[in-house]
Every structure is written in C-alpha cells, then in structure tokens.
C-alpha cells in the first residue's frame, strides 16, 4: 500500500510569489488533513477534508492560504502571495475514519520563503 | 498554556536502558493519545496510541495514561541506537474529528 505522498519535497520561493503544494492520500482514505510546522514550534493543524468537503478549516492562518480537494482524491494547498512567516514544513495526513483510526503522514514539503 | 507540553530534551540514554518520555495536556476532555516517532526529514510515524487509563504495551514500547493527572508517557525498553529520533506526543480532544494537537517533541539519542 502506497503511503501519503507529497510534492514537492522542497520549495524555495521569494516573498510575494505563489506556491502550490500537492498531497496524494492513501487510497480509500476519505479524511485528509493539512498540518504545518514552523521552525521551533509544534506541528499545528490547518484544515480537514472529508472527501471533497472542508470539514474544519479553523487552523488556516489567513486568506492567503487556499486548499482544495477536487473529486475527493488529491489535495492542493496554495499560498498566494507568500510571506516570510509562511516558511516551514507542510505535512499532509490521511485516515479512513476520523477519531478512531490513526493519521498517516506524508514526508512533508519544506517551504522556504526568502 | 499550551495544549500539549513535552520536555524538548535532548534525552540521552545508553543502549539497553529504558527511555522515558513524558507529555501533559491541558484539555480535560481529551480522549485519544498518540505517540509518533519522527526521524529527521521524514514523516511522523505512529508507534503507539492509547485511549484508556493505565498501561498499553506493544513490544518494547509501553504507553501510560493518567487522565486525572492529564499525563501520558512512553517507555522504551532495551533502547537501541535506531530509536534515536524525535518523539511527538499528540492528543485528540474527541470533539474535533481527528484533529490532533501536538507537543514540540522530545529528541531522544540512544548511544551505543
């Protein structure tokens, strides 16, 4: 079984540019989550999809972040325009059912905004 | 007050010793507790989860939960150099459909 895959693994962009991160969850996992770890801080929740619907987006920092999951399969997270404080590692995770089954994480995308 | 607190370490133990990792959480309603291991540059990997008060053992790993004290710990017996990693404590409040609250992690080094 393939795990959660994320692309790219690294991205370096300049302030003001746009970046799109992609996540492919484990096949059959309806629940998809985005998390972020800023340097020196804990991993923090961004949002949760159930299939193509946003179940909880309370962790999204501001309206420069847009997440989509068209068709309920892969998801994208776009940052536009990027700011310096957006630098960090963005993790995607998926699970079969929320609460009772554990989250499986991808390796993350390390985003550096210069 | 942080949702989940861990001693950041680093914690250093000799090979064969018991490593003890601790975590406290602030929300009394929290229901599920997870320990993830993360090697540098890799994904967090689930190693243990516990829902009920008491101990849960899986091989060399034992998770302990005390809801009254809002405390969860992970013991690693017969520690191996391959156990050297960052250990993340995560808590699911139960009302948040799988949303996890993480501690900053404890860096463990097992020296041969």
């Amino acid at each position: 079984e393939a795990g959660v895959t994320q692309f790219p693994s690294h991205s370096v962009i300049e302030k003001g540019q746009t970046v799109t991160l992609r996540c492919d969850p484990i096949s059959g996992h309806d629940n998809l989550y985005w998390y972020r770890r800023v340097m020196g801080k804990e991993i923090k929740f961004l949002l949760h999809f159930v299939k193509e619907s946003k179940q909880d987006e309370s962790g999204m920092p501001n309206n420069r972040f847009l997440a989509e999951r068209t068709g309920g399969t892969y998801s994208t997270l776009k940052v536009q325009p990027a700011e310096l404080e957006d630098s960090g590692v963005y993790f995607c995770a998926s699970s079969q059912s929320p609460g009772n089954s554990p989250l499986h994480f991808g390796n993350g995308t390390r985003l550096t905004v210069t | 007050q942080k949702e989940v607190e861990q001693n950041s370490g680093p914690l250093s133990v000799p090979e064969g010793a018991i490593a003890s990792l601790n975590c406290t959480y602030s929300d009394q309603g929290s229901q599920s507790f997870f320990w993830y291991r993360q090697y540098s540059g890799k994904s967090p990997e689930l190693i243990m989860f516990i829902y009920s008060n008491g101990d849960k053992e899986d091989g060399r790993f034992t998770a302990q939960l005390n809801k009254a004290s809002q405390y969860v710990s992970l013991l690693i017996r017969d520690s191996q150099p391959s156990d050297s990693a960052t250990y993340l404590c995560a808590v699911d409040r139960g009302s948040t459909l799988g949303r996890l609250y993480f501690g900053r992690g404890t860096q463990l080094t097992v020296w041969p």
Side-chain angles (χ1 to χ4, degrees):
Chain A
E1 175 186 74
V4 176
T5 56
Q6 293 186 244
F7 182 83
S9 56
H10 294 83
S11 180
V12 181
I13 61 172
E14 292 183 352
K15 176 182 172 180
Q17 290 186 321
T18 297
V19 63
T20 300
L21 314 181
R22 172 171 170 145
C23 168
D24 287 77
I26 293 172
S27 178
H29 282 193
D30 288 340
N31 295 275
L32 186 150
Y33 303 81
W34 284 97
Y35 284 82
R36 176 175 74 170
R37 184 167 195 163
V38 173
M39 185 180 292
K41 303 283 188 180
E42 64 274 19
I43 297 174
K44 283 193 172 180
F45 169 85
L46 295 178
L47 88 159
H48 170 203
F49 282 102
V50 177
K51 297 185 179 179
E52 67 276 7
S53 299
K54 291 177 185 174
Q55 181 71 34
D56 180 358
E57 55 182 329
S58 61
M60 295 286 263
N62 52 61
N63 59 10
R64 296 185 293 103
F65 290 75
L66 175 64
E68 294 180 323
R69 192 182 182 195
T70 306
T73 54
Y74 72 90
S75 174
T76 58
L77 179 64
K78 180 192 290 188
V79 185
Q80 179 182 31
E83 298 289 344
L84 298 179
E85 63 265 24
D86 301 332
S87 297
V89 182
Y90 290 77
F91 290 102
C92 176
S94 70
S95 71
Q96 283 187 314
S97 59
N100 292 326
S101 57
L103 301 189
H104 299 266
F105 281 83
N107 283 343
T109 294
R110 181 173 294 278
L111 174 64
T112 302
V113 182
T114 62
Chain B
Q1 183 183 13
K2 289 192 178 299
E3 294 277 351
V4 180
E5 300 223 38
Q6 294 181 254
N7 186 338
S8 62
L11 175 65
S12 181
V13 301
E15 183 174 358
I18 295 175
S20 178
L21 304 159
N22 305 313
C23 172
T24 57
Y25 58 94
S26 61
D27 190 325
Q28 287 185 322
S30 298
Q31 305 209 351
S32 307
F33 307 85
F34 304 86
W35 283 100
Y36 284 83
R37 176 178 62 197
Q38 187 178 23
Y39 295 111
S40 181
K42 299 296 184 182
S43 61
E45 173 195 7
L46 181 70
I47 52 173
M48 287 287 289
F49 61 89
I50 186 166
Y51 303 132
S52 305
N53 271 332
D55 296 0
K56 179 181 178 182
E57 188 174 316
D58 184 2
R60 295 186 297 111
F61 299 96
T62 299
Q64 299 174 316
L65 174 62
N66 183 326
K67 289 190 175 181
S69 301
Q70 294 175 226
Y71 174 91
V72 58
S73 65
L74 178 70
L75 300 178
I76 306 175
R77 290 182 300 282
D78 188 23
S79 295
Q80 301 297 308
S82 58
D83 294 327
S84 299
T86 296
Y87 289 80
L88 302 166
C89 174
V91 173
D92 182 340
R93 286 177 167 180
S95 61
T96 51
L97 296 179
R99 171 178 179 170
L100 296 183
Y101 293 83
F102 282 86
R104 291 191 183 187
T106 299
Q107 185 180 342
L108 171 67
T109 300
V110 181
W111 45 276

